[in-house]
Protein backbone atom coordinates (compact mmCIF):
# COMPACT_ATOMS: atom_id res chain seq x y z
CA UNK A 1 0.00 0.00 0.00
CA UNK A 2 1.26 3.45 -0.84
CA UNK A 3 2.41 5.74 1.93
CA UNK A 4 0.07 8.34 3.35
CA UNK A 5 0.25 11.81 1.88
CA UNK A 6 1.32 14.55 4.27
CA UNK A 7 0.03 18.12 4.31
CA UNK A 8 1.00 21.11 6.43
CA UNK A 9 -1.32 22.40 9.13
CA UNK A 10 -1.63 26.19 9.04
CA UNK A 11 -2.55 28.16 12.17
CA UNK A 12 -4.57 31.36 12.59
CA UNK A 13 -1.41 33.44 11.93
CA UNK A 14 -0.83 31.81 8.55
CA UNK A 15 2.19 29.89 9.79
CA UNK A 16 2.98 26.19 9.75
CA UNK A 17 1.88 24.55 12.98
CA UNK A 18 2.67 20.95 12.13
CA UNK A 19 1.71 18.28 9.64
CA UNK A 20 -1.05 15.72 9.25
CA UNK A 21 -1.24 12.50 7.28
CA UNK A 22 -3.97 11.90 4.70
CA UNK A 23 -4.84 8.20 5.14
CA UNK A 24 -4.39 6.26 1.92
CA UNK A 25 -7.64 4.35 2.43
CA UNK A 26 -9.53 7.65 2.32
CA UNK A 27 -7.40 9.98 0.18
CA UNK A 28 -5.39 7.61 -2.00
CA UNK A 29 -8.06 5.81 -4.00
CA UNK A 30 -8.16 5.36 -7.78
CA UNK A 31 -10.75 7.56 -9.48
CA UNK A 32 -13.63 5.99 -11.39
CA UNK A 33 -14.92 8.79 -13.67
CA UNK A 34 -18.19 7.02 -14.67
CA UNK A 35 -19.00 6.52 -10.98
CA UNK A 36 -18.39 10.19 -10.19
CA UNK A 37 -20.55 11.21 -13.14
CA UNK A 38 -23.41 8.95 -12.06
CA UNK A 39 -23.39 10.14 -8.45
CA UNK A 40 -23.08 13.84 -9.34
CA UNK A 41 -25.85 13.57 -11.94
CA UNK A 42 -28.13 11.86 -9.43
CA UNK A 43 -27.38 14.54 -6.83
CA UNK A 44 -28.16 17.38 -9.22
CA UNK A 45 -31.32 15.64 -10.43
CA UNK A 46 -32.51 15.20 -6.85
CA UNK A 47 -32.28 18.97 -6.41
CA UNK A 48 -34.71 19.60 -9.27
CA UNK A 49 -38.25 20.53 -8.24
CA UNK A 50 -39.91 18.77 -11.16
CA UNK A 51 -42.91 21.12 -11.01
CA UNK A 52 -42.76 22.11 -14.69
CA UNK A 53 -46.10 21.70 -16.47
CA UNK A 54 -47.93 22.66 -19.66
CA UNK A 55 -51.63 22.52 -20.41
CA UNK A 56 -53.05 20.01 -22.83
CA UNK A 57 -56.05 20.92 -24.99
CA UNK A 58 -58.29 19.49 -22.28
CA UNK A 59 -56.90 21.91 -19.71
CA UNK A 60 -57.10 25.14 -21.71
CA UNK A 61 -60.17 27.28 -20.99
CA UNK A 62 -62.65 27.95 -23.80
CA UNK A 63 -63.04 26.30 -27.17
CA UNK A 64 -66.20 24.36 -26.38
CA UNK A 65 -67.86 25.40 -29.62
CA UNK A 66 -66.75 24.64 -33.15
CA UNK A 67 -65.12 27.76 -34.61
CA UNK A 68 -67.12 27.39 -37.84
CA UNK A 69 -69.35 24.86 -39.49
CA UNK A 70 -68.06 21.51 -40.64
CA UNK A 71 -68.56 21.95 -44.37
CA UNK A 72 -68.88 24.66 -46.97
CA UNK A 73 -66.17 27.05 -45.84
CA UNK A 74 -63.35 25.73 -48.01
CA UNK A 75 -61.19 25.36 -44.94
CA UNK A 76 -60.02 22.35 -43.00
CA UNK A 77 -62.57 21.16 -40.48
CA UNK A 78 -61.89 22.20 -36.91
CA UNK A 79 -63.50 21.13 -33.66
CA UNK A 80 -62.03 23.64 -31.21
CA UNK A 81 -59.90 26.78 -31.18
CA UNK A 82 -58.01 25.22 -28.29
CA UNK A 83 -56.48 22.52 -30.48
CA UNK A 84 -52.64 22.57 -30.51
CA UNK A 85 -52.40 24.19 -33.96
CA UNK A 86 -54.24 27.32 -32.80
CA UNK A 87 -52.62 30.25 -31.01
CA UNK A 88 -53.53 29.85 -27.35
CA UNK A 89 -54.28 26.18 -27.77
CA UNK A 90 -53.02 23.27 -25.72
CA UNK A 91 -49.47 21.86 -25.89
CA UNK A 92 -48.71 18.46 -27.34
CA UNK A 93 -46.31 16.23 -25.38
CA UNK A 94 -45.27 19.10 -23.13
CA UNK A 95 -43.50 18.58 -19.78
CA UNK A 96 -45.59 17.40 -16.85
CA UNK A 97 -44.78 17.27 -13.11
CA UNK A 98 -42.42 14.42 -12.27
CA UNK A 99 -39.76 13.36 -9.80
CA UNK A 100 -36.14 13.31 -10.92
CA UNK A 101 -34.91 11.40 -7.88
CA UNK A 102 -32.63 8.50 -8.76
CA UNK A 103 -31.89 5.72 -6.33
CA UNK A 104 -28.17 5.70 -5.61
CA UNK A 105 -26.74 3.06 -3.22
CA UNK A 106 -24.97 4.44 -0.16
CA UNK A 107 -21.81 2.51 -1.06
CA UNK A 108 -21.63 4.32 -4.40
CA UNK A 109 -22.17 7.71 -2.77
CA UNK A 110 -19.40 7.09 -0.23
CA UNK A 111 -17.03 5.68 -2.85
CA UNK A 112 -17.58 8.69 -5.10
CA UNK A 113 -16.92 11.10 -2.22
CA UNK A 114 -13.65 9.42 -1.24
CA UNK A 115 -12.54 9.23 -4.86
CA UNK A 116 -13.26 12.92 -5.40
CA UNK A 117 -11.21 13.76 -2.30
CA UNK A 118 -8.47 11.43 -3.54
CA UNK A 119 -8.38 13.35 -6.81
CA UNK A 120 -7.97 16.63 -4.95
CA UNK A 121 -5.29 15.10 -2.70
CA UNK A 122 -3.36 13.78 -5.71
CA UNK A 123 -3.15 17.34 -7.03
CA UNK A 124 -2.18 18.86 -3.65
CA UNK A 125 -5.55 20.53 -3.24
CA UNK A 126 -6.40 19.23 0.24
CA UNK A 127 -5.45 21.62 3.03
CA UNK A 128 -5.80 21.65 6.82
CA UNK A 129 -6.06 24.75 8.99
CA UNK A 130 -5.92 24.56 12.78
CA UNK A 131 -8.10 27.70 13.01
CA UNK A 132 -9.05 30.60 10.76
CA UNK A 133 -9.48 33.00 13.68
CA UNK A 134 -8.21 33.17 17.25
CA UNK A 135 -10.87 32.67 19.88
CA UNK A 136 -14.60 32.83 19.23
CA UNK A 137 -14.74 36.32 17.72
CA UNK A 138 -15.34 36.22 13.93
CA UNK A 139 -12.94 38.14 11.68
CA UNK A 140 -13.33 38.10 7.92
CA UNK A 141 -10.02 39.91 7.45
CA UNK A 142 -8.07 37.37 9.51
CA UNK A 143 -9.81 34.38 7.91
CA UNK A 144 -9.16 35.72 4.42
CA UNK A 145 -5.45 36.10 5.18
CA UNK A 146 -5.22 32.47 6.34
CA UNK A 147 -7.18 31.23 3.33
CA UNK A 148 -4.79 33.00 0.95
CA UNK A 149 -1.86 31.22 2.59
CA UNK A 150 -3.30 27.74 1.98
CA UNK A 151 -5.03 28.34 -1.35
CA UNK A 152 -4.34 30.52 -4.36
CA UNK A 153 -7.22 29.10 -6.39
CA UNK A 154 -10.41 30.87 -7.39
CA UNK A 155 -12.75 28.77 -5.27
CA UNK A 156 -12.52 26.73 -2.11
CA UNK A 157 -14.76 24.37 -0.17
CA UNK A 158 -14.31 24.75 3.58
CA UNK A 159 -15.31 21.90 5.89
CA UNK A 160 -15.93 22.83 9.52
CA UNK A 161 -17.07 21.15 12.72
CA UNK A 162 -20.66 21.48 13.86
CA UNK A 163 -19.87 23.97 16.63
CA UNK A 164 -17.43 26.16 14.68
CA UNK A 165 -19.65 29.22 14.25
CA UNK A 166 -16.72 31.66 14.28
CA UNK A 167 -15.23 30.15 11.11
CA UNK A 168 -18.58 30.15 9.31
CA UNK A 169 -19.26 33.80 10.18
CA UNK A 170 -15.74 34.78 9.15
CA UNK A 171 -15.75 33.08 5.75
CA UNK A 172 -19.33 33.22 4.52
CA UNK A 173 -19.00 36.55 2.70
CA UNK A 174 -15.73 35.81 0.89
CA UNK A 175 -16.27 35.36 -2.87
CA UNK A 176 -13.41 32.86 -3.12
CA UNK A 177 -15.22 30.53 -0.70
CA UNK A 178 -17.51 28.50 -2.94
CA UNK A 179 -19.21 26.76 -0.03
CA UNK A 180 -18.93 26.16 3.71
CA UNK A 181 -20.20 22.78 4.87
CA UNK A 182 -20.31 20.92 8.12
CA UNK A 183 -17.95 17.97 7.87
CA UNK A 184 -20.84 15.48 7.80
CA UNK A 185 -22.35 17.31 4.83
CA UNK A 186 -19.40 16.97 2.45
CA UNK A 187 -20.51 15.53 -0.87
CA UNK A 188 -19.03 14.63 -4.24
CA UNK A 189 -20.53 17.54 -6.18
CA UNK A 190 -19.27 20.27 -3.84
CA UNK A 191 -15.80 18.71 -3.69
CA UNK A 192 -15.51 18.62 -7.48
CA UNK A 193 -17.11 22.05 -7.87
CA UNK A 194 -14.34 23.69 -5.82
CA UNK A 195 -10.68 24.04 -6.75
CA UNK A 196 -9.42 23.38 -3.21
CA UNK A 197 -10.84 21.61 -0.17
CA UNK A 198 -9.89 23.11 3.19
CA UNK A 199 -10.55 21.26 6.45
CA UNK A 200 -10.27 22.72 9.90
CA UNK A 201 -8.25 20.41 12.14
CA UNK A 202 -11.32 19.44 14.14
CA UNK A 203 -13.34 18.74 11.00
CA UNK A 204 -10.51 16.67 9.51
CA UNK A 205 -10.19 14.52 12.62
CA UNK A 206 -13.95 14.00 12.71
CA UNK A 207 -14.02 12.99 9.03
CA UNK A 208 -11.18 10.51 9.36
CA UNK A 209 -12.46 8.99 12.61
CA UNK A 210 -16.03 8.58 11.35
CA UNK A 211 -14.94 6.88 8.13
CA UNK A 212 -12.53 4.56 9.94
CA UNK A 213 -15.27 3.69 12.41
CA UNK A 214 -17.59 2.77 9.55
CA UNK A 215 -14.95 0.52 8.04
CA UNK A 216 -14.25 -1.15 11.39
CA UNK A 217 -17.96 -1.76 11.93
CA UNK A 218 -18.28 -3.78 8.71
Amino acid sequence: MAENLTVDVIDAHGEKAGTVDLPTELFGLDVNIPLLHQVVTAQLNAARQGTHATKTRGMVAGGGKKPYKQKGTGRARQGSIRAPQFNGGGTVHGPQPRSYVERTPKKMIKAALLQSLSDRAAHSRIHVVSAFVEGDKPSTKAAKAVLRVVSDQRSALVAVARDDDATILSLRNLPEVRNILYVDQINTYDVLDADDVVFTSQAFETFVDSNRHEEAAK
Side-chain angles (χ1 to χ4, degrees):
M1 180 179 293
E3 296 183 357
N4 293 343
L5 297 175
T6 301
V7 297
D8 295 336
V9 178
I10 305 302
D11 62 17
H13 299 287
E15 300 177 355
K16 181 179 177 180
T19 60
V20 66
D21 290 334
L22 303 182
T24 304
E25 65 271 20
L26 302 180
F27 296 92
L29 304 180
D30 294 330
V31 178
N32 184 338
I33 300 300
L35 173 63
L36 298 183
H37 179 270
Q38 181 176 346
V39 171
V40 169
T41 300
Q43 182 178 344
L44 294 178
N45 283 342
R48 299 183 65 175
Q49 290 184 331
T51 55
H52 44 46
T54 55
K55 292 184 177 181
T56 65
R57 63 182 296 170
M59 300 175 183
V60 182
K65 179 182 178 182
K66 285 174 66 68
Y68 42 81
K69 63 181 183 178
Q70 182 83 345
K71 296 179 179 295
T73 64
R75 305 175 64 185
R77 52 194 176 186
Q78 302 292 341
S80 171
I81 60 171
R82 294 299 178 242
Q85 68 268 24
F86 284 101
N87 185 24
T91 300
V92 181
H93 304 308
Q96 294 298 322
R98 55 161 292 190
S99 172
Y100 285 92
V101 175
E102 302 176 13
R103 180 185 175 277
T104 307
K106 292 182 179 179
K107 287 185 178 180
M108 292 177 59
I109 295 175
K110 180 179 178 180
L113 171 59
L114 296 183
Q115 289 178 24
S116 63
L117 289 171
S118 296
D119 174 75
R120 291 296 181 259
H123 294 85
S124 302
R125 291 186 175 183
I126 298 290
H127 310 281
V128 179
V129 173
S130 61
F132 280 93
V133 294
E134 291 186 296
D136 297 329
K137 184 177 180 180
S139 173
T140 300
K141 181 179 180 180
K144 183 176 182 178
V146 175
L147 183 63
R148 286 188 171 179
V149 172
V150 298
S151 174
D152 57 357
Q153 301 297 323
R154 293 180 299 174
S155 63
L157 166 66
V158 180
V160 301
R162 277 283 174 178
D163 58 351
D164 196 355
D165 295 333
T167 297
I168 296 175
L169 294 174
S170 299
L171 294 174
R172 64 182 181 178
N173 291 328
L174 294 179
E176 54 266 43
V177 177
R178 179 64 57 87
N179 211 342
I180 306 174
L181 297 177
Y182 293 123
V183 65
D184 56 344
Q185 294 178 323
I186 298 177
N187 58 83
T188 304
Y189 171 76
D190 284 309
V191 170
L192 296 178
D193 190 47
D195 293 321
D196 283 340
V197 179
V198 184
F199 288 89
T200 62
S201 294
Q202 186 178 357
F204 180 79
E205 293 175 1
T206 300
F207 180 81
V208 173
D209 291 343
S210 63
N211 280 277
R212 284 179 169 171
H213 179 73
E214 290 180 7
E215 290 296 328
K218 291 182 180 179

